[in-house]
Amino acid sequence: MGHGTRDKILIAAATMLGEDPTAKLSVRAVAARAGVSTGSLRHFFPTQRELIDTVVAGMYTVDLPDDPMQDTASPPAERLVACLQLLLAQVGTGESARGYWRALHAAYVASPPSDDAVHAFLAHERLAVHYVERWLVRLRDEGALAPGEPGHHARFLLTVVNGLLTERALPGDLTRLEFEARTLMTAASAVLRPASSDRP
């Protein structure tokens, strides 16, 4: 019975984070979403940090649906770009992208974030790096990754993605999406071996 309650809490918290990456995961809000008492939640997760860490740790093993990296018939650069486009798609364009940035600004920029908010942000950031690094390790195993640490390459690619997400929230037209695809291809090329490098 206890594990069922714990699982309900984790599912509710993960769902809340999926809907809003800046969600505070307050004890009261998560307990209400899970349909359990705050006492039950505190029994399994005495602190907000423990709840956040457990939820994020559970996401490390989740495979993205239709992960483009699995399509080994496509060239490495195309697969990596498609993976990065998955990250961009989670935020969307136009009003959806503006809402995402408003939430980020309110949570972390408008005023000094609490220690718990910083902890949650850094946990999310580590998770994003983990996903990109996992893609890059797959490419390294295929001999397609350029020399260097996958973690460093992952942070570089996420910096490019964050820049594109910022642009999505700003006024622009549809030509921006074409530029976005070319930017992602340039970034992918920077972390991959040239296709011709395996020739004698």
Side-chain angles (χ1 to χ4, degrees), residues 129 133 136-137 145 148-158:
V129 171
E133 205 170 346
L136 294 177
V137 166
L145 193 65
E149 287 294 316
H152 175 75
H153 290 324
R155 286 191 173 274
F156 163 70
L157 292 172
L158 284 169

Side-chain angles (χ1 to χ4, degrees), residues 15-191:
T15 303
M16 291 169 72
L17 283 180
E19 294 167 355
D20 175 10
T22 64
K24 298 288 188 283
L25 294 189
S26 73
V27 170
R28 190 165 303 199
V30 175
R33 183 71 173 259
V36 303
S37 69
T38 55
S40 289
L41 192 147
R42 286 273 190 226
H43 170 72
F44 293 103
F45 305 102
T47 67
Q48 188 180 23
R49 285 187 181 200
E50 285 183 55
L51 176 61
I52 289 167
D53 289 345
T54 305
V55 171
V56 172
M59 294 175 167
Y60 273 72
T61 58
V62 173
D63 287 322
L64 295 174
D66 303 320
D67 185 348
M69 196 52 68
Q70 305 299 326
D71 178 20
T72 53
S74 297
E78 283 181 25
R79 286 154 59 203
L80 184 54
V81 166
C83 288
L84 298 174
Q85 286 172 325
L86 271 184
L87 300 179
L88 289 167
Q90 291 176 346
V91 172
T93 58
E95 188 51 40
S96 175
R98 285 188 289 277
Y100 170 80
W101 278 111
R102 274 194 298 272
L104 275 184
H105 185 271
Y108 305 116
V109 181
S111 57
S114 69
D115 288 346
D116 281 344
V118 170
H119 183 82
F121 176 82
L122 294 176
H124 276 97
E125 185 179 59
R126 284 191 299 273
L127 180 65
V129 171
H130 167 77
Y131 271 116
V132 178
E133 205 170 346
R134 210 162 69 174
W135 290 325
L136 294 177
V137 166
R138 172 86 185 249
L139 292 171
R140 184 188 64 193
D141 292 347
E142 295 173 16
L145 193 65
E149 287 294 316
H152 175 75
H153 290 324
R155 286 191 173 274
F156 163 70
L157 292 172
L158 284 169
T159 298
V160 173
V161 167
N162 283 333
L164 293 173
L165 288 174
T166 303
E167 287 191 347
R168 281 186 170 203
L170 298 170
D173 57 26
L174 291 178
T175 59
R176 175 171 285 157
L177 293 179
E178 180 188 335
F179 170 77
E180 187 176 275
R182 291 173 65 186
T183 299
L184 289 174
M185 186 57 77
T186 301
S189 298
V191 302

